[in-house]
Amino acid sequence: MKFVLENDYLKVTVNSLGAEVKSVVRKSDGKELWWTGDERYWNGSSPILFPACGGLWNGEYTLEGNTYKMPKHGFVKGMEWERVAEDAPGMLLFSVSDTEATREAYPFHFRLTIVYRLEGMKLDCSYCLLNLEENRVMPFQIGGHPAIALPDFEEGAEKIGYIRPLFNDNTVDAHCLTVVRAGEQGCWSKERHGVNCDEEGLIPVSVATFANEALIFDHKQINGADILDLQKNRLARVHSFAPVWLFWQMQDLLCPYVCAEPWYGLCDLQQHSVQLIERPYTQTVAPKCAAKLLLWGIEF
């Protein structure tokens, strides 16, 4: 079921399946600012990643001496979420809880709430994760995957926009940044690589940029990014406190969007299947406690 959050400037549509943003329309001209999904390029638009971000080596992890299978990016993106009726004006809340099926992959009792808040031209996505266990610390990863539509898309074009990475002072030169790459089984390797950028430090959205899939910025190198059109006008500014950022579109295929993905977590290192708590940048929440944080904020 789809729900609408709107003000004088934006109309936001969220699907209860996955609590996923499916559309953001600018009311002044009816322009769609979000990637709304297309099987030719990618049928997602903004999945919530939990309790794992990225791939697990051999699709598994260990916990308390047991081995569990976990799909890439976890499982809540495919679950039907409950609309929380007591949400406030300008907000939409969705919650999902553990089930018998989820406990086969992740043996914890939890309740995860996603809060969307719309103010002016800004849309924020925050999470609240409640650990319902009586005496077990709960390790988890959580990530966002919002996809910004690129209006200058043209089949066969060399590039269709730019990414400007940002840090605290909103000025980062991409020449100074390095990334790791995901490869075998969607897991990362230790080799570090420079970033393909122009003389202004802008990263072009092009097939060449994503020839090795996502750009993965770890170690809190950045805390946001501007997504720019071909004329270098800002389409959106995305920010988060997350320690890991990915920028992605389909490999070897120019696509009409770019995903700016803040992750509180990272996929496994290649050739390493580990304890759940040992996955890179894994977060924890104490028994009968909650973890609350901004997942992402976007200003259009």
Side-chain angles (χ1 to χ4, degrees), residues 154-173:
E154 183 178 340
E155 295 277 3
E158 180 182 354
K159 56 179 176 277
I160 55 174
Y162 299 90
I163 301 164
R164 178 194 288 133
L166 302 172
F167 198 55
N168 291 328
D169 60 359
N170 289 336
T171 55
V172 168
D173 184 349

Side-chain angles (χ1 to χ4, degrees), residues 1-294:
M1 183 178 294
K2 293 184 179 178
F3 297 88
V4 172
L5 179 62
E6 62 183 319
N7 60 15
D8 292 339
Y9 307 99
L10 297 173
K11 179 180 179 181
V12 179
T13 303
V14 183
N15 195 342
S16 58
L17 179 61
E20 186 174 11
V21 176
K22 302 303 291 185
S23 171
V24 178
V25 173
R26 185 169 57 207
K27 286 189 170 183
S28 61
D29 57 5
K31 185 73 172 178
E32 179 62 68
L33 308 177
W34 209 254
W35 172 245
T36 57
D38 184 326
E39 292 281 357
R40 291 175 296 172
Y41 304 104
W42 179 51
N43 62 1
S45 59
S46 183
I48 303 295
L49 318 181
F50 175 88
C53 294
L56 294 88
W57 187 253
N58 293 330
E60 62 186 31
Y61 68 89
T62 56
L63 175 72
E64 299 169 348
N66 297 311
T67 299
Y68 296 88
K69 292 290 185 180
M70 175 82 76
K72 182 179 180 180
H73 293 331
F75 47 73
V76 299
K77 59 188 175 68
M79 295 179 68
E80 186 67 28
W81 292 54
E82 175 189 359
R83 162 80 181 279
V84 179
E86 59 266 24
D87 50 10
M91 301 172 68
L92 275 177
L93 282 68
F94 297 88
S95 289
V96 70
S97 298
D98 63 279
T99 66
E100 184 177 348
T102 69
R103 290 190 293 275
E104 291 181 3
Y106 183 65
F108 292 95
H109 295 287
F110 68 88
R111 185 169 180 84
L112 176 61
T113 301
I114 291 293
V115 181
Y116 291 108
R117 182 171 183 240
L118 182 62
E119 183 177 1
M121 294 290 286
K122 298 178 182 179
L123 177 65
D124 288 346
C125 175
S126 301
Y127 74 87
C128 175
L129 175 62
L130 178 61
N131 179 2
L132 298 173
E133 296 287 327
E134 292 289 343
N135 52 22
R136 298 167 77 203
V137 172
M138 187 167 67
F140 71 96
Q141 296 182 336
I142 190 166
H145 205 303
I148 308 301
L150 297 176
D152 296 318
F153 174 76
E154 183 178 340
E155 295 277 3
E158 180 182 354
K159 56 179 176 277
I160 55 174
Y162 299 90
I163 301 164
R164 178 194 288 133
L166 302 172
F167 198 55
N168 291 328
D169 60 359
N170 289 336
T171 55
V172 168
D173 184 349
H175 293 95
C176 304
L177 300 173
T178 60
V179 298
V180 294
R181 293 173 178 167
E184 190 177 358
Q185 297 187 23
C187 298
W188 64 281
S189 58
K190 289 184 176 181
E191 295 82 7
R192 304 201 68 87
H193 306 269
V195 180
N196 172 35
C197 57
D198 66 12
E199 64 281 357
E200 298 178 59
L202 302 180
I203 302 170
V205 179
S206 65
V207 171
T209 294
F210 299 103
N212 296 284
E213 272 205 306
L215 305 177
I216 305 175
F217 296 92
D218 53 357
H219 298 310
K220 296 186 178 180
Q221 291 184 78
I222 66 175
N223 68 0
D226 288 337
I227 307 302
L228 311 177
D229 65 15
L230 269 180
Q231 293 71 47
K232 301 183 179 178
N233 301 309
R234 191 173 78 188
L235 300 169
R237 172 167 288 180
V238 189
H239 66 93
S240 176
F241 305 110
V244 178
W245 280 78
L246 288 83
F247 298 93
W248 174 86
Q249 61 171 230
M250 294 289 288
Q251 190 174 9
D252 299 326
L253 177 67
L254 192 66
C255 301
Y257 63 84
V258 65
C259 291
E261 307 177 33
W263 288 9
Y264 294 89
L266 184 57
C267 47
D268 283 347
L269 180 64
Q270 291 179 23
Q271 304 293 332
H272 289 76
S273 182
V274 298
Q275 296 277 342
L276 182 59
I277 192 69
E278 295 173 348
R279 299 196 74 225
Y281 301 98
T282 288
Q283 314 292 303
T284 59
V285 56
K288 294 297 184 181
C289 291
K292 303 179 181 180
L293 210 56
L294 176 73

